[in-house]
């Protein structure tokens, strides 16, 4: 969930940037709005999990170190 929050806006911007002509301007804006809305929802869930339930969170970016 944490890495999805980081990469979702990047994926949305890449799709809108590279496929923008095929999707039209309206389609590209819908893709970016949906990706950012999901990222906002996930950030609210993460805030609730970390702040209110006080659960420690560890994100292992490179598992072999």
């Amino acid at each position: 969930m944490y890495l999805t929050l980081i990469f979702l806006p990047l994926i949305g911007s890449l799709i809108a940037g590279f496929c923008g002509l095929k999707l039209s301007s309206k389609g590209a804006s819908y893709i970016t709005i949906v990706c950012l809305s999901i990222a906002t929802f996930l950030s609210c869930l993460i805030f609730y999990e970390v702040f209110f339930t006080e659960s420690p969170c560890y994100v292992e970016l490179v598992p072999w170190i």
Side-chain angles (χ1 to χ4, degrees):
M1 180 165 64
Y2 299 103
L3 291 177
T4 306
L5 176 68
I6 293 170
F7 288 116
L8 201 59
L10 175 66
I11 291 169
S13 66
L14 288 175
I15 290 172
F18 289 125
C19 302
L21 292 175
K22 294 178 185 176
L23 294 172
S24 76
S25 64
K26 216 173 213 187
S29 65
Y30 286 151
I31 293 286
T32 54
I33 288 171
V34 166
C35 288
L36 288 177
S37 299
I38 294 171
T40 303
F41 178 72
L42 287 177
S43 67
C44 290
L45 287 177
I46 291 170
F47 177 74
Y48 174 78
E49 179 184 5
V50 172
F51 188 73
F52 290 117
T53 62
E54 297 177 359
S55 65
C57 298
Y58 301 101
V59 177
E60 197 171 311
L61 295 176
V62 183
W64 56 83
I65 291 179

